[in-house]
Amino acid sequence: CSSDLDFVADASHQLRTPLSGLRLHLEDALATASSEDEREGLRACLRETDRLAGIVDELLELSRAGEGPVEAATTSPSAAVARAAARFTARARAAGCEIRTGAGEGTPVVCHASDLDRILDILLENAIAYAPGAPIDLDADGPRIRVSDHGPGLAAGEEQTAFERFHRGRAGRAGPPGTGLGLAIARDLARRWGGDVTMQDTPGGGASAVVRLRDAQRS
C-alpha cells in the first residue's frame, strides 16, 4: 500500500548517508592496515557494506516502481531490444555469452522507454549472472519481449516464487551474490503500465522471462 511504499522510500533515503560514511571509514582503515589478515577482513566488510547499499538502492527503486498512476507514454519494443543488446554486448562477451537478437517486430506498447529499459536491464543482468558461457536470446514479438537463457533453469514452483522480494532460487543460491529484488522491481514496473513479467522454462533448457505490455494501438 501507499504508506508501506512511503516508509520504504524514506528508510532507504535515510540509510544512504550512514552507509556512505561507513564505507569511507572502512576505506581509511584499509589504507592504514598493518597486516594482510587485517586488510582481508576490512575488504570483506567493504563487500558486505556494498551489498547492503545495493539492497537499499533496490528498495528505493522498488518503492518508485509501485508509485501511483503515470502519464500516458508509448515506446517501441524493437527499439528497446536494440538498445538493450547494445548496452550489454560487452558485459555479455566478458562472461562468455552471446546476445542473439530475434528478427521479430514489436508493436508500440504503453510504457515509458526508461521503464522498459530498466526492465530489460534486470532480465539481462540475471541471464548473464546465472548462465555464464551460454547464449542469451532477446527478441520482440508484437507487444511481448522475451529474454531466454540456457542455464540451470527453474526449479518446480519458481515461476511464481522468483518474483517474491528477496527470493534467491536454486540458480541464485548457487550463483553470484544478489539482492533478490530485481525480478520484483521488473514486474512492478511492468504492472505500473498495465503489463506483466512472467517466468517459464526455455525449450531445451534454461529460463525465459517474458515481458508483456499493453498494445498501444488497441488501448
Side-chain angles (χ1 to χ4, degrees):
C1 66
S2 176
S3 60
D4 291 337
L5 293 174
D6 289 343
F7 171 77
V8 169
D10 291 343
S12 300
H13 278 299
Q14 292 297 320
L15 285 168
R16 278 182 161 183
T17 299
L19 279 172
S20 296
L22 176 59
R23 197 179 204 290
L24 288 173
H25 286 305
L26 289 170
E27 288 174 343
D28 288 342
L30 181 61
T32 58
S34 58
S35 71
E36 183 56 32
D37 285 346
E38 187 179 356
R39 284 190 288 273
E40 183 52 39
L42 288 166
R43 291 189 193 103
C45 291
L46 278 168
R47 288 193 293 271
E48 288 302 299
T49 301
D50 288 342
R51 189 171 73 89
L52 181 55
I55 292 173
V56 168
D57 287 343
E58 292 212 325
L59 283 170
L60 184 58
E61 189 169 359
L62 191 64
S63 71
R64 290 171 176 163
E67 288 175 353
V70 291
E71 294 183 7
T74 61
T75 192
S76 163
S78 299
V81 162
R83 290 195 302 270
R87 285 195 305 276
F88 279 85
T89 293
R91 193 185 310 186
R93 186 182 296 122
C97 302
E98 176 193 3
I99 297 180
R100 306 184 300 202
T101 55
E105 286 295 327
T107 188
V109 295
V110 179
C111 187
H112 196 283
S114 63
D115 281 352
L116 184 51
D117 285 348
R118 180 59 183 133
I119 291 168
L120 295 183
D121 285 352
I122 291 168
L123 301 183
L124 284 169
E125 285 166 359
N126 280 355
I128 292 170
Y130 299 137
I136 298 167
D137 297 315
L138 172 63
D139 67 88
D141 180 11
R144 185 217 69 181
I145 300 175
R146 185 186 301 271
V147 181
S148 300
D149 67 46
H150 298 273
L154 301 168
E158 276 194 310
E159 297 86 351
Q160 289 302 320
T161 59
F163 293 95
E164 294 175 1
R165 296 171 187 178
F166 301 108
H167 176 79
R168 299 279 289 159
R170 177 182 63 185
R173 290 190 295 271
T179 64
L181 287 169
L183 285 176
I185 292 171
R187 172 170 274 184
D188 280 3
L189 284 171
R191 287 181 172 179
R192 191 180 186 208
W193 296 95
D196 204 356
V197 180
T198 57
M199 295 293 298
Q200 59 192 48
D201 290 322
T202 300
S208 294
V210 181
V211 184
R212 291 182 176 86
L213 293 163
R214 289 162 49 209
D215 188 332
Q217 297 173 344
R218 297 181 180 178
S219 296

